[in-house]
Amino acid sequence: MTDRWDTVLGYLIAAAPRDGVVAIDGPPAEAELLAERLRARCGATVVTGPVGDADLTVRVRTSRGDGRDDHAGAVVDLGDATWPILRHLDPALVPGDRWYASESQAFFAVRAAGWDSKFGDDLPAYDLAVSSAGLRAGGLALDVGCGTGRALPPLREAVGPAGTVIGLDHTAPMLSAAARRAAACAAALVRADARRLPFPDGTADAVLAAGLVTHLPDHDEALTELARVTRSGGRLILFHPTGRATLAARHGRTLDPGDLLDEPVLRAALSRTGWELLTYDDPPHRFHAVAVRI
Ligand SMILES: C[S@@+](CC[C@H](N)C(=O)[O-])C[C@H]1O[C@@H](n2cnc3c(N)ncnc32)[C@H](O)[C@@H]1O
């Protein structure tokens, strides 16, 4: 059994009520695999399939787009059975989000090396996302959750040679993959958690978060932390090189109107956390929202 399995089973055991019923729901082969491993390790009764009155339902997701995650206490990605990843754990079952950092890093670490070849065509969209956001020359621009650094060259272009560009990510292999691109545009790279940024209050002129905020467990906490480090009048660019509807369809899901990036939801979340939404654009080929720090 790999460390990954140990880690994921450990989180599920912490969430499973002693002597309760745990239902593992999802594609039968993967659900049975998880059930078998959980049975061997925990006192709860572990069954497969949907069970209405289970104490804990664990939904298994695979790469086949078969994962409906609604109402599950936990979601486990078994797209690669040698690299299980916990994708969701209801905070009512295990308070806090201790699980989140290890699981997010495990998810992105194995994707880092292939990221640019898989998504290389998106680079012009990053250029436009930054160039259209009204950043001023000479400032500090942060790319939070920078991944392989695809936004670093346009951020350098926007702030010019007198500005400073910093890419930040918590997944070490992503930063390794970003190193060459960062060096080429004189950007610094920092390994840190987006929820606890290692920068003083009000120092950034612009923050770009591409494909980041929806991954974080507490959206208000994340937007508040981005606001903390941004000066009054500074910009926040929320970006994804695919529109919300296109992305949902790609993952076999429908759009959730309560989703953070839905326009009214986002506008309200931004205004609660120190921002005002300036522009919002969500056609099939991109998601792009710009906010100003109040
Ligand atoms: C979907 S990828 C996007 C990467 C890059 N922004 C892009 O557009 O290509 C999300 C990135 O956010 C990083 N990330 C997720 N949670 C984070 C956190 N709490 N702190 C820092 N980075 C985080 C991941 O490691 C990953 O590199």
Side-chain angles (χ1 to χ4, degrees):
M1 194 179 287
T2 65
D3 288 350
R4 221 33 336 267
W5 272 102
D6 283 343
T7 304
V8 170
L9 291 175
Y11 292 134
L12 293 179
I13 290 163
R18 256 175 188 283
D19 306 323
V21 175
V22 179
I24 314 286
D25 189 19
E30 286 85 356
E32 192 46 53
L33 175 66
L34 177 56
E36 229 173 68
R37 295 197 170 194
L38 197 54
R39 263 180 219 123
R41 295 272 297 266
C42 101
T45 302
V46 183
V47 297
T48 53
V51 174
D53 56 356
D55 299 291
L56 167 66
T57 295
V58 180
R59 193 93 58 197
V60 173
R61 186 194 280 183
T62 70
S63 47
R64 301 192 295 274
D66 41 18
R68 286 178 52 75
D69 302 341
D70 46 318
H71 310 310
V75 176
V76 174
D77 185 335
L78 279 182
D80 175 354
T82 67
W83 195 255
I85 298 172
L86 183 65
R87 299 290 284 152
H88 168 73
L89 187 59
D90 187 336
L93 297 167
V94 180
D97 49 31
R98 197 174 53 84
W99 62 275
Y100 160 77
S102 70
E103 299 310 290
S104 168
Q105 288 169 36
F107 179 82
F108 286 110
V110 289
R111 288 165 171 77
W115 196 263
D116 281 347
S117 42
K118 190 166 178 196
F119 302 116
D121 293 349
D122 296 334
L123 289 178
Y126 282 76
D127 294 346
L128 188 61
V130 174
S131 66
S132 62
L135 307 194
R136 70 177 192 194
L140 166 62
L142 303 178
D143 181 359
V144 179
C146 65
T148 60
R150 296 191 290 171
L152 297 175
L155 286 173
R156 165 59 65 202
E157 185 72 27
V159 300
T164 302
V165 178
I166 301 177
L168 178 145
D169 206 285
H170 74 166
T171 305
M174 279 291 190
L175 291 172
S176 303
R180 215 156 49 147
R181 191 176 269 137
C185 67
L189 293 176
V190 176
R191 184 164 183 215
D193 190 332
R195 300 169 299 166
R196 284 175 287 280
L197 294 169
F199 307 111
D201 296 357
T203 42
D205 294 273
V207 174
L208 176 127
L212 171 76
V213 180
T214 52
H215 283 286
L216 300 176
D218 182 333
H219 300 147
D220 276 20
E221 175 197 54
L223 292 170
T224 300
E225 179 63 354
L226 298 179
R228 181 188 66 75
V229 300
T230 307
R231 69 166 171 82
S232 173
R235 298 286 159 108
L236 171 65
I237 307 169
L238 299 176
F239 176 66
H240 198 286
T242 311
R244 291 170 59 237
T246 313
L247 197 59
R250 193 183 289 166
H251 292 135
R253 303 194 188 105
T254 50
L255 266 185
D256 172 4
D259 170 44
L260 170 72
L261 298 183
D262 185 59
E263 185 171 3
V265 178
L266 180 63
R267 187 179 296 282
L270 287 168
S271 79
R272 278 196 304 275
T273 55
W275 302 97
E276 182 188 346
L277 183 63
L278 294 179
T279 66
Y280 181 94
D281 192 31
D282 185 26
H285 64 280
R286 75 165 186 172
F287 175 86
H288 186 255
V290 179
V292 62
R293 176 77 168 101
I294 304 303

